[in-house]
Amino acid sequence: PVYLVLGNTLDATMRQQGYEWWHSLQDASAMVRDYVKWDDTPASLQHFGESAVRAYKIAMTPPMMPVLLVLDGGLQEDPISPEVTSRLRIPKLTRATPPQGDSGAVAEAAQLLVNARNPVIVADRAARTPAGIQKLVELAEALQAPVIDQGGRMNFPSRHPLNQSGSARQLVADADVILGLELTDFWGTVSAVRDGLTRTSRSLIKPGTKLISITALDLATKGNYQDFQRYPEVDVAMAADAEARLPALTEACKRLITTEKRSAFQERGKKLAQAHAAALDRARAEAAYGWDASPISTARLTMELWAQIKKEDWSLVAESGIMSDWTDRLWNRDKHYQSLGGSGGAGVGYGAPAAVGAALANKKHGRLSVTIQGDGDFMYAPGVWWTAAHHRIPLLAVMHNNRAYHQEVM
């Protein structure tokens, strides 16, 4: 949720010649309307009061997205008469409860998950709050089901035995039920893992696999910017906030778990714990390859940094995208703020500004903010480092110089 306020001079007869014309628009919201959730151009002060409260309520209701108010210069600067002042009031804010979907769909999803032989949970932007992580842990542990954390947010502890993010391809291929939580790309995530660098997609899902989707994104899909990805053909679709719906789904699952199923789930959990431990051992062994190479490997960069911060209250506020997922595979993440998550837009130049912004948020908590900064990304907005220095925002940035815009040449 981002609350944007824009200025404009709507009355053409009140614009000064030159720059006020250059900086005025007929419809200022048109510049960003395709990627904000709601916008308005208030015509009076009372209109502004109501739209200001409405904008906040809309922005803070999942799916949380930016909102925009365009304020006329006269509305901002003209004096207010006593008669008008006496009539002005700020409306009461009543926050909307997150959408939670249909209880019948929850019961159907629980039946599928409990009766599945190989259920898989895939989470992208599922945990809105610190409580969201624990709610997902409770569901996974009740089912002893593997979790694939796509990293859109910090959804699941990296060292939890049920975290099987590194085995996503095989788990998806073997699954008979897949639960997707706030997936921004359900189709491409779990049914079409890309083969190498080809632009076509090949489904890994075997026929008959049941797909369950819980996402508030179903309530806010626009058409111009194509960020909503392929159409997902799912069996159970809940237009709901995943974090808000998880407790009910967990309880519904627990009611269906018999003694016999609980015993089977425990056996499944033991195998997953062994697989998790083996994957961690493999990652450590792979990180040792080329340890003394020059320039140093990305694995060594990652682990040398980890050695310095692991005893601190740390937060990874951004990282270079070309790091072979070493931080995911080797660092121990169990707090909601230890990963900023993905950018959501795949824009080059995101890393440095994101790192400084998150470090500013972490400053009041005394956390050590850390970023692995790509060199090409750095070139887009180097001025943010002046901002960090000027405002004394604590941030440890390690430059990852891969000598190119990686995806274009390597």
Side-chain angles (χ1 to χ4, degrees):
V2 181
Y3 198 106
L4 301 167
V5 179
L6 206 66
N8 199 10
T9 306
L10 289 171
D11 188 346
T13 66
M14 300 303 294
R15 297 174 192 161
Q16 296 185 44
Q17 292 301 115
Y19 73 91
E20 282 200 350
W21 279 83
W22 302 333
H23 294 174
S24 298
L25 298 93
Q26 178 182 351
D27 180 7
S29 299
M31 296 187 295
V32 296
R33 185 166 287 131
D34 282 306
Y35 42 93
V36 298
K37 192 176 181 183
W38 184 77
D39 69 88
D40 197 21
T41 303
S44 67
L45 288 172
Q46 187 57 49
H47 183 177
F48 164 71
E50 295 181 14
S51 292
V53 174
R54 187 193 303 271
Y56 183 81
K57 180 177 181 177
I58 291 173
M60 298 300 290
T61 302
M64 295 179 179
M65 297 179 182
V67 292
L68 170 68
L69 293 181
V70 180
L71 304 187
D72 177 59
L75 198 66
Q76 298 182 56
E77 298 173 0
D78 291 346
I80 311 173
S81 66
E83 310 89 75
V84 173
T85 303
S86 64
R87 298 196 302 269
L88 294 178
R89 56 181 295 274
I90 300 174
K92 179 176 70 173
L93 170 66
T94 305
R95 293 279 295 273
T97 56
Q100 298 193 28
D102 177 65
S103 58
V106 171
E108 184 180 358
Q111 284 277 1
L112 290 171
L113 289 166
V114 171
N115 292 324
R117 292 179 61 87
N118 296 306
V120 176
I121 301 171
V122 185
D124 188 5
R125 293 180 178 265
R128 285 186 293 102
T129 71
I133 298 174
Q134 186 56 40
K135 290 175 182 178
L136 182 51
V137 168
E138 290 174 5
L139 175 63
E141 289 181 346
L143 297 166
Q144 287 299 298
V147 175
I148 300 170
D149 187 347
Q150 292 196 307
R153 289 180 178 148
M154 171 64 193
N155 297 298
F156 203 76
S158 62
R159 295 285 177 86
H160 193 289
L162 295 176
N163 190 322
Q164 304 285 320
S165 302
S167 303
R169 190 180 181 90
Q170 190 59 51
L171 287 169
V172 166
D174 294 339
D176 54 356
V177 175
I178 299 173
L179 170 63
L181 302 176
E182 301 290 355
L183 300 191
T184 53
D185 185 5
F186 196 107
W187 197 95
T189 296
V190 298
S191 65
V193 177
R194 280 155 180 77
D195 187 6
L197 295 178
T198 59
R199 292 184 179 274
T200 57
S201 299
R202 182 170 55 87
S203 177
L204 292 177
I205 292 184
K206 59 188 179 184
T209 298
K210 299 295 185 180
L211 304 182
I212 305 165
S213 174
I214 307 178
T215 177
L217 290 174
D218 283 346
L219 302 171
T221 299
K222 292 191 174 184
N224 189 21
Y225 287 90
Q226 301 293 289
D227 58 347
F228 44 82
Q229 311 293 332
R230 291 288 296 271
Y231 176 76
E233 297 184 58
V234 302
D235 298 278
V236 180
M238 281 183 259
D241 176 64
E243 179 176 317
R245 210 50 177 142
L246 278 176
L249 180 58
T250 301
E251 289 306 311
C253 288
K254 287 180 178 179
R255 287 194 294 269
L256 297 174
I257 298 174
T258 63
T259 302
E260 182 181 358
K261 287 188 179 297
R262 184 173 290 106
S263 177
F265 290 178
Q266 289 173 350
E267 286 302 310
R268 182 166 65 204
K270 290 178 182 178
K271 293 178 181 179
L272 290 170
Q274 292 169 356
H276 177 89
L280 183 57
D281 288 341
R282 283 196 304 273
R284 287 169 173 160
E286 291 168 7
Y289 293 137
W291 188 262
D292 294 319
S294 179
I296 68 169
S297 67
T298 52
R300 182 166 184 178
L301 183 159
T302 302
M303 293 311 293
E304 295 283 10
L305 180 56
W306 174 243
Q308 301 304 315
I309 69 168
K310 62 183 179 181
K311 295 182 180 179
E312 306 290 338
D313 185 21
W314 60 273
S315 174
L316 182 64
V317 288
E319 66 175 317
S320 170
I322 316 297
M323 289 293 297
S324 301
D325 298 325
W326 286 119
T327 58
D328 293 332
R329 297 163 67 187
L330 294 173
W331 290 16
N332 182 18
R333 299 180 182 176
D334 56 9
K335 298 181 176 62
H336 72 279
Y337 54 80
Q338 288 179 334
S339 173
L340 188 64
S343 67
V348 182
Y350 165 84
V356 173
L360 173 61
N362 281 330
K363 181 179 179 179
K364 65 182 179 182
H365 300 290
R367 295 176 189 143
L368 173 61
S369 296
V370 181
T371 180
I372 300 174
Q373 175 61 52
D375 61 314
D377 183 281
F378 169 85
M379 299 282 282
Y380 274 73
V384 298
W385 303 109
W386 179 92
T387 301
H390 179 76
H391 293 286
R392 299 183 179 276
I393 301 171
L395 174 64
L396 171 60
V398 180
M399 179 63 69
H400 173 207
N401 179 14
N402 59 22
R403 303 191 176 99
Y405 292 113
H406 190 283
Q407 64 267 34
E408 277 82 5
V409 300
M410 294 186 181

